[in-house]
Every structure is written in structure tokens, then in C-alpha cells.
Amino acid sequence: MLRIFLEGVIGDSAPIQVGLQGLNTDKTTVSDYSDWTVTMNWKDSNHEMNVTSGIGMPFLYFEKDANDVVEIKVNSGTASINDEILIVENASDGQDFVFYAPSGSNWVQSGNLYTSTLNGKDYWSMAMLPQNTSSVNSTAQDLKKYAYVFPTNTTTSWSYTENNSKVTTTFQVETDIKEGSNSNMLLGLLPHQWYNTSSNSPVPSAYTYSSVRGELKMLEGNSFIVENTFKGILPTIPYLANYSAGFSPSNLDAKISQIENDGLATWTDSYNEGQVMNRLIQTARIADQTGNIEARNKMIATVKQRLEDWLTYTSGEVAFLFYYNDTWSAMLGYPAGHGQDNNINDHHFHWGYFIHAAAFMEQFEPGWASKWGDMINILIRDAASYDRNDTQFPFLRNFSPYAGHSWANGFATFPQGNDQESTSESMQFASSLIHWGTITENNTIRDLGIYIYTTEQTAVEEYWFDVYERNFKANQQYSLVSRVWGNSYDNGTFWTADIAASYGIEMYPIHGGSFYLGHNQQYAQKLWTEISQNTGVLSKENNDNLWHDTYWKYLSMVNPQEAVNLYNAYPERNLKFGISDAQTYHWLHSINAMGVIDATITADYPIAGVFKQNGETTYVAHNYSDSEITVNFSDGFKLTVPENQMRTNRDIDASGVLSSRFHASFSKWKC
């Protein structure tokens, strides 16, 4: 029996129960699914009921065996019958529901039980009416035309156009028209969708609903198109720190030397391993920029040895390995941690670090991917297979194409539904696909990363940050949330209720793909003001949940000089696990030299960005290819970038010979 729940976790209330006469089972299975629908099945030896539900869809779609009798139990509210329509008003908290049986059907009432043979048919549907509907009967009649158009398949497809940086996503529904002449469904678009519909897409024009994600706008039709703009990422930031007052190259060298000989733990899990590898990777990139090749090579060797250990298996090995679990069609890494193995949690978080490490290895050891790339591509397929016909992995395991973001809990084991905490690590996963796809010239993986990155950014801005102030409830205390659940959101984390952690987990780790955090300057400034009021970041508080380096790098996206000032004032801070002091120092001073990201200018190459400060514009691009390229920016600027190098328009390449006439010089020395 299907219980219709309203707000809250499962078990809060069941004002309506839907089932079949004689159906006796407590087991619910999935009989079918598509990109944003799922069909649930209840079955015993004599009866079977299937119910299809879709994200944003105001209807549930029911099917049964021809001889079964539908049975609806109304536990609260007022029920009324109008031919084949059964209306339940005020089922709970003023919410109204309507059941649509096939034409010619009758409902028979016995107390609070309503039954129907459906006039010999095998289908019916149920709609939730918009909240605060003033005329229930007329609205029920108006929705009737959609009641018999059943979804049979939903698909999402995407494309990336380099020359204008546009990401286009098409949502399509295939239908089965049970009766009537109407062929259109009623589709509910979420804020990140209706705010970004393409100019050539149908747009919502029907009813609206209030939802935990904000206003759900109804579109009459079976397809729509969303268009977003990809604004570029970088592998690291250019070495322009010498333009920043107070920067010392010798201090940076000293900070690099502090970790260049660091090894990796002899026993750790895949998540912590990724963080520490990232610490070395970020620092090795800086050492490369400064010409400290010895330090760079040490860190490359450390990452290479451990990464390749993870990617291979030798008989008897028990640590630093992956294996394929065919029960869950999943790659598991050991040692695991955080439920990565026994709950299939966080695969995109963990693998993002490894994929980024692989792109790093291919950059500094060209040809590495020819030996190890197949294994990296398996990790990508595990977390986000782009192939619907993949026989080993599900399509986009972690990423929900309709919700617009990733989920982290493999089995959705909490009563609130699935969840995602660290959107910043989800965005890092997408960044890693862009880097890996670009450097290996695999445009399919590159474009997958750009699609996930750009789409998830819009969802993060709507549902974790509420940058447009239209989705959070009035009682939401802070300007972001750290956990989005299937039916709620909050500022907790999975290890502490400290608000400092709630802020930090949406930023860490800061890297060349983190500049989306600064695209909306007004929101970023607002959030920093709130952070400075609600945490001890300005008072040098010693708090393991307050990650000063991460906060400062976030601040640099709106006020670079103040970020440098805070760094200089607190040299004795404790460093968060996974953070490099060299990266913080290099980042803050280089951003102080370039200014804040300018998201209004895009490029026709994905590894690029634009920064502005005091009227000066800095154009940056990193060329992963083996040939010189010209990167065209949307404002008309062109930047020539040599093969396998990063360039800015502020680079100075000078060479020559200093010479003088001996006698003239000698005579000057005699004066």
C-alpha cells in the first residue's frame, strides 16, 4: 500500500493510503526508472500495483492488473465524488488531492474507504493541487486533461559549444496517452531550470507550487531546454604574486621546502589520501612556476608512486587498491572511509581527487595517460558514466540531471532522503573531469565535466546559497546551508554543529576551479560579512572547525588585500589537514595582483579566466595541448598560449645580451 506523506520525515503522517483490495505486502521494489522518474512496485502472489513518480511532477501515475479493485483509505480531510473524480480536501495542513479514474468509472464509498473497478481499465492517477487553491472543483477539472498522459521515459541530453561557452540541456519525456486527445504532460520546473530556460524553449505558464527547493513552476508540454554559460577554470593561478605588496619569493620558496619531502601515510582511507595528494599537487604546480624543479619533481614522484599503487593490484595486497563490486555495479577503494564501500557514499568526492591527480601526472609526465588512463576512465564511469548502455556502471550515478546537482549518500539511508554536504568537492569532481578530458583530448569527458560543473553551479547558487533570496524559508538563519536533503536543508555537518564548519565545507578545497564562488560578487561580500560576524576568523580563533586558510582564499575573491592582511596577522594558525601554506601564500598574493574574477567575460577554451582590479584586466589561459593556441575571449581580446604552458597578458618574456664598451666603462669606474 502506498502512503501519501506530506512534510517531514517518513512516518510523520499518512492522511491517504492507496492500494488494491487483497494486496498484502510490506515490500516495495523498483520496477523501472529513467532520468527523473521511478516506478515503484507492490506485489504479492495475486495482485500487483505500479506507481510512477517524477521529480517536479504534480501527478502520481498508477497501474494495476485488470481484475484488481482500487482501494483508497482517507484518514483525514473531506472526500467527495464527482463521477470518475475523487477529491480529498484538506488532507493535511490545507493540502488537497484529486484521484482521476478512467472515464465512465465509479467510486464506491464505505466509511472512509473508497473503491473502484476503474470501469475495467488498469490505470488511474492522483494529483496534488497547488497550495492555497481557492476553487478546488474547477482546478480539479482543469487538471483532468493531464491525468491520462503517463510518462514512460525521461531523458536528459547536453551539449557544449566552445565558441560561445554555452551549455545546453534538453529535457524530454516520452508518454503513453491512456485516453483523451491531450498529449501534453504537466512538468514542474525547479528554480535553477525556469530561471535559465533557453530563448527557444517553452516556458512555464501554468500553475505554481511551493516546494522545499523554492517555487515550482508548471510547464505544459513534454520537453524544455535550459541554457547556461560555462565561465572557465584553471589548474592553478598564474605566478603574478610579485605584483603584490609584501610578497617575498624567498618566503614562498621556504614554504615549498617545508613540504617538498613529505610522504604519504602508510595507512589511510581514499578520502584523506586524496586531500593530502592534492596538497602536494597544488604545491608542486607552484614550485614549477617558481623554477624550483627539484622540489617539484620530489612531489611529483610522491604522488606518482602512490597514485599508481592505487591503480594496480598485486597478489596479497590489502591497501591502496580498487576493486569492482558487481552487486552494486561500483568501484570500491580500500582503505575506504566515510561509507565509500559499505554505503556507496561520496564516490564523486573521493574520485575527484584521484582524477585531478591523474591530470596533474599527464601534465608533468606526458604519456602517463597512455598506460594509466583506462583505469582513470573507469573511476569516471563509476561516479558519472555518460553512456546509458554502460553494462558495468549506472548512468550518472552521483549526479541527478533533473535536480541539477549530485547526491552523496549511496543508499539514501536517512529518513530525510538523500543528501549532499560538500558542494565544493562535488564541483572539484566536475573540475577534474574538465582537466582530464582536456589534457587527454577526450571531448566527451571534458564536456561531461563542463555540463556537471555549470549545471551544479546553478543548483548550488539556488539551493545551498540562495543567492537570489527566493528559496530559503523565512526562518533560515544563515545565508547558506551546508546540507541539502531530499525534503529539507540545514546548517549541520556530519561531524559537528559548529557554524564555522558549515561555512568551510562549502568552500574546501580552494583550487583553480573554485572561482564560481566569486561569480556573484554581491552575494560573496554578503556571505563574508556574515562569516566575520558569526565566527572567530577576525579574532584569530583557534578552532579546528574554522579553516582560516580556506576562509582567506574565499575572501580573496571579493577583497584580496584584506585576505593578505589576515594571513599576515596570523602566521601561527593551525593548518587544516590537506592545506598547503605555500598554496595559501601564493594564492592570496597572486589574486591580490590580479583582482577578482570577471564572470562576464568568457573564452572559447575551457581552461581560462579573466580578472580585474583598478581598471586593469588580466587574461589567463593554460594550454594543455602540444601546439600553440590562440584563446579568444568574449570581449574581443586574443591571448596566444604556447604548447603545454600557462600564459597571461601580463607576462614578460625578455632575453638579450648586456654589453658595453670596455674603455667607456673603465673610465667611469675611475671617476
Side-chain angles (χ1 to χ4, degrees):
M1 176 173 289
L2 174 67
R3 293 172 171 83
I4 308 300
F5 299 104
L6 297 182
E7 289 192 19
V9 299
I10 294 173
D12 276 0
S13 66
I16 303 172
Q17 295 173 270
V18 185
L20 304 174
Q21 277 188 353
L23 176 62
N24 184 22
T25 180
D26 58 2
K27 183 179 181 181
T28 308
T29 59
V30 172
S31 59
D32 197 9
Y33 63 90
S34 64
D35 281 10
W36 70 93
T37 62
V38 61
T39 300
M40 300 160 280
N41 177 271
W42 287 262
K43 183 178 182 179
D44 62 18
S45 58
N46 298 309
H47 310 279
E48 183 174 9
M49 180 175 73
N50 286 294
V51 185
T52 299
S53 173
I55 302 174
M57 295 180 183
F59 281 85
L60 293 177
Y61 305 90
F62 296 80
E63 293 180 287
K64 66 176 184 65
D65 292 337
N67 295 325
D68 280 325
V69 176
V70 177
E71 184 176 85
I72 297 173
K73 186 178 182 181
V74 179
N75 295 317
S76 65
T78 302
S80 61
I81 299 171
N82 184 358
D83 297 327
E84 64 268 19
I85 296 177
L86 172 64
I87 299 174
V88 183
E89 297 183 60
N90 193 22
S92 181
D93 294 326
Q95 189 57 62
D96 309 311
F97 296 89
V98 182
F99 291 89
Y100 298 92
S103 297
S105 301
N106 296 309
W107 292 100
V108 178
Q109 178 184 3
S110 177
N112 67 339
L113 205 61
Y114 296 81
T115 59
S116 178
T117 61
L118 304 184
N119 197 25
K121 304 294 188 353
D122 60 0
Y123 58 87
W124 78 104
S125 65
M126 185 202 78
M128 173 181 167
L129 299 188
Q131 295 95 337
N132 302 314
T133 295
S134 59
S135 178
V136 171
N137 287 320
S138 63
T139 303
Q141 289 295 332
D142 188 49
L143 293 180
K144 183 180 178 181
K145 59 180 175 287
Y146 309 110
Y148 307 114
V149 184
F150 281 42
T152 57
N153 190 36
T154 59
T155 55
T156 313
S157 59
W158 60 88
S159 64
Y160 165 61
T161 305
E162 283 182 303
N163 62 9
N164 63 5
S165 299
K166 297 298 182 183
V167 178
T168 301
T169 308
T170 301
F171 299 87
Q172 184 73 44
V173 185
E174 297 173 30
T175 62
D176 176 16
I177 303 171
K178 299 295 187 181
E179 63 178 75
S181 59
N182 178 56
S183 60
N184 285 330
M185 291 191 59
L186 204 58
L187 304 177
L189 274 62
L190 293 157
H192 78 281
Q193 295 168 326
W194 56 251
Y195 187 62
N196 296 294
T197 50
S198 172
S199 60
N200 62 339
S201 171
V203 296
S205 59
Y207 296 98
T208 62
Y209 289 75
S210 298
S211 82
V212 70
R213 298 290 172 261
E215 190 174 18
L216 193 65
K217 296 186 177 183
M218 295 296 118
L219 180 147
E220 182 179 7
N222 298 328
S223 68
F224 63 94
I225 302 170
V226 168
E227 184 179 87
N228 290 298
T229 302
F230 173 64
K231 299 170 182 177
I233 63 171
L234 296 169
T236 187
I237 51 178
Y239 184 29
L240 296 174
N242 285 296
Y243 290 100
S244 174
F247 173 76
S248 166
S250 61
N251 284 350
L252 179 59
D253 285 341
K255 294 174 188 298
I256 292 171
S257 69
Q258 289 172 3
I259 71 169
E260 65 181 81
N261 295 308
D262 283 6
L264 296 169
T266 57
W267 183 271
T268 187
D269 64 60
S270 56
Y271 180 58
N272 287 337
E273 182 86 289
Q275 292 182 76
V276 179
M277 282 198 297
N278 185 57
R279 174 175 177 261
L280 294 174
I281 288 166
Q282 298 297 338
T283 308
R285 292 187 187 280
I286 298 165
D288 179 67
Q289 291 181 343
T290 65
N292 191 341
I293 304 306
E294 181 181 358
R296 181 201 71 180
N297 288 346
K298 288 179 183 178
M299 290 180 278
I300 290 174
T302 301
V303 171
K304 172 184 168 72
Q305 186 278 328
R306 181 56 61 83
L307 179 60
E308 293 178 358
D309 189 4
W310 276 95
L311 301 178
T312 55
Y313 172 75
T314 57
S315 180
E317 186 178 6
V318 296
F320 311 131
L321 58 93
F322 292 101
Y323 92 92
Y324 180 75
N325 181 295
D326 54 9
T327 300
W328 298 111
S329 302
M331 290 298 291
L332 305 180
Y334 282 99
H338 303 276
Q340 175 253 100
D341 57 342
N342 57 19
N343 207 61
I344 321 297
N345 288 351
D346 301 349
H347 281 205
H348 59 320
F349 293 165
H350 294 220
W351 303 169
Y353 288 104
F354 286 82
I355 299 162
H356 185 79
F360 165 80
M361 285 307 308
E362 178 62 19
Q363 178 184 347
F364 288 101
E365 192 175 297
W368 184 90
S370 64
K371 180 177 181 180
W372 303 98
D374 287 346
M375 188 65 187
I376 297 301
N377 290 339
I378 287 176
L379 293 182
I380 293 171
R381 288 166 55 202
D382 173 67
S385 178
Y386 50 81
D387 183 1
R388 295 179 187 279
N389 298 314
D390 196 322
T391 59
Q392 291 183 292
F393 302 101
F395 178 66
L396 299 179
R397 182 197 304 275
N398 284 99
F399 187 76
S400 172
Y402 205 84
H405 61 81
S406 299
W407 294 111
N409 189 312
F411 297 153
T413 46
F414 291 97
Q416 299 96 320
N418 214 317
D419 66 83
Q420 179 164 260
E421 184 181 57
S422 179
T423 57
S424 47
E425 285 175 307
S426 188
M427 292 292 283
Q428 179 185 238
F429 169 74
S431 298
S432 75
L433 301 188
I434 300 169
H435 288 302
W436 176 252
T438 304
I439 201 168
T440 60
E441 300 181 350
N442 186 324
N443 286 350
T444 300
I445 290 176
R446 180 202 68 178
D447 292 358
L448 170 67
I450 290 172
Y451 159 65
I452 294 176
Y453 185 98
T454 308
T455 305
E456 185 134 6
Q457 179 181 345
T458 66
V460 170
E461 289 173 346
E462 294 283 2
Y463 313 128
W464 277 262
F465 297 168
D466 194 20
V467 298
Y468 306 110
E469 299 182 357
R470 60 189 174 205
N471 300 323
F472 288 168
K473 292 183 178 180
N475 62 355
Q476 169 61 25
Q477 184 177 357
Y478 304 105
S479 295
L480 61 66
V481 297
S482 47
R483 291 186 298 194
V484 164
W485 302 86
N487 73 347
S488 57
Y489 49 80
D490 62 43
N491 282 97
T493 68
F494 288 108
W495 76 95
T496 180
D498 189 341
I499 188 60
S502 181
Y503 293 125
I505 199 61
E506 300 308 316
M507 304 171 186
Y508 174 85
I510 299 285
H511 54 95
S514 298
F515 287 107
Y516 69 95
L517 294 169
H519 284 176
N520 188 312
Q521 284 285 295
Q522 182 178 355
Y523 172 80
Q525 183 58 66
K526 168 190 169 185
L527 184 62
W528 175 256
T529 300
E530 181 180 299
I531 288 171
S532 64
Q533 294 169 347
N534 293 333
T535 72
V537 67
L538 300 184
S539 60
K540 300 189 286 188
E541 178 184 327
N542 184 9
N543 176 355
D544 288 341
N545 295 317
L546 201 169
W547 307 331
H548 289 272
D549 292 64
T550 301
Y551 280 23
W552 297 334
K553 283 179 275 191
Y554 178 78
L555 173 60
S556 73
M557 298 186 199
V558 290
N559 190 338
Q561 184 59 60
E562 181 59 21
V564 171
N565 295 343
L566 290 178
Y567 175 89
N568 290 338
Y570 196 18
E572 70 276 16
R573 73 202 181 282
N574 290 325
L575 285 175
K576 182 197 178 303
F577 180 84
I579 282 182
S580 158
D581 184 32
Q583 191 222 6
T584 302
Y585 187 69
H586 170 268
W587 178 284
L588 297 182
H589 279 287
S590 292
I591 296 296
N592 194 36
M594 294 191 298
V596 300
I597 191 78
D598 184 348
T600 67
I601 302 175
T602 60
D604 64 354
Y605 185 71
I607 315 300
V610 179
F611 301 81
K612 287 190 175 180
Q613 181 167 257
N614 299 327
E616 183 172 20
T617 302
T618 302
Y619 300 86
V620 186
H622 186 104
N623 177 10
Y624 277 135
S625 76
D626 295 329
S627 303
E628 180 181 272
I629 63 172
T630 297
V631 178
N632 299 286
F633 292 86
S634 59
D635 64 349
F637 189 84
K638 298 178 183 295
L639 181 66
T640 300
V641 187
E643 62 274 14
N644 303 305
Q645 293 184 44
M646 176 177 282
R647 278 290 184 266
T648 82
N649 61 312
R650 296 170 65 182
D651 294 339
I652 299 174
D653 291 329
S655 62
V657 177
L658 290 174
S659 62
S660 65
R661 291 184 303 166
F662 174 78
H663 292 293
S665 297
F666 182 72
S667 64
K668 289 179 181 179
W669 277 106
K670 290 199 299 182
C671 294

